[in-house]
Amino acid sequence: MVARHLDKNTMGYIQWRWGIQSAMNTSIVRDTKTSHFTMAMQLGIPHSFMMVSYQHKFQDEDQTRVKGSLKAGFFGTVVEYGAERKISNHSVLGATVSIGVPQGVSLKIKLIRASQTYFFPIHLTDQLLPSAVFYATVGPIVIFVAMHKLIIKPYLRAQKE
């Protein structure tokens, strides 16, 4: 791998892997205080693809991040979007919806507690169904808001008192 600073916030990478899954990968990563942008292209066996990813970091006390990505290649196309938020001093909760051809719709829930990471992949359907996309998007939002108001805020308030 070769890496080079292109400016104070931007890095360029070229990577070559050889073996069973040999590939040549090039990427540009721009990381600032409020955003993270990645653009990558890989030519390889068995996977060749192009990927664009953007993450916006809000400067609030909860360190909320919203992210989205598009990946297209010989294996199909995948669109992902999601968010993660710090819910206590040692915990981060995140959810990502993945919509793709041919794998369908899935929801990935991630909980980071101190140095442990819990990952819950939920495969909803093998087809692109609008109802699955709706439930994968709205369901976690409703559950998070309910948990935040009924469990997390009262717990943090009691902890402060």
Side-chain angles (χ1 to χ4, degrees):
M1 180 202 297
V2 176
R4 179 164 174 95
H5 278 282
L6 301 175
D7 69 20
K8 83 175 195 176
N9 295 321
T10 308
M11 288 287 293
Y13 299 94
I14 296 176
Q15 179 183 18
W16 178 51
R17 284 191 312 242
W18 66 304
I20 295 172
Q21 293 188 354
S22 64
M24 177 67 96
N25 187 319
T26 182
S27 58
I28 295 175
V29 179
R30 180 163 177 79
D31 194 12
T32 65
K33 190 169 70 170
T34 60
S35 67
H36 182 85
F37 175 78
T38 304
M39 188 167 66
M41 184 173 79
Q42 177 174 307
L43 298 173
I45 302 170
H47 297 297
S48 294
F49 63 86
M50 291 184 68
M51 191 255 314
V52 175
S53 174
Y54 179 77
Q55 183 179 87
H56 186 76
K57 306 171 196 173
F58 292 98
Q59 299 300 310
D60 57 0
E61 63 189 44
D62 295 325
Q63 299 176 358
T64 304
R65 296 175 183 212
V66 178
K67 57 187 172 181
S69 70
L70 172 66
K71 188 174 184 180
F74 294 135
F75 59 87
T77 302
V78 178
V79 175
E80 288 188 344
Y81 58 90
E84 64 181 41
R85 183 176 183 153
K86 187 174 181 179
I87 56 175
S88 72
N89 286 337
H90 302 288
S91 300
V92 176
L93 181 63
T96 303
V97 178
S98 179
I99 305 164
V101 174
Q103 70 263 25
V105 181
S106 62
L107 171 65
K108 300 169 193 162
I109 298 172
K110 180 171 69 170
L111 174 64
I112 301 171
R113 174 75 181 146
S115 63
Q116 298 174 339
T117 301
Y118 301 97
F119 188 67
F120 305 99
I122 303 166
H123 188 75
L124 298 173
T125 180
D126 289 331
Q127 302 168 354
L128 292 179
L129 298 174
S131 61
V133 174
F134 176 78
Y135 291 124
T137 303
V138 175
I141 292 171
V142 169
I143 291 170
F144 176 78
V145 169
M147 279 181 43
H148 193 71
K149 290 191 183 258
L150 299 174
I151 298 170
I152 296 168
K153 273 191 174 180
Y155 175 76
L156 293 176
R157 193 177 319 117
Q159 202 175 31
K160 277 186 180 179
E161 290 173 0

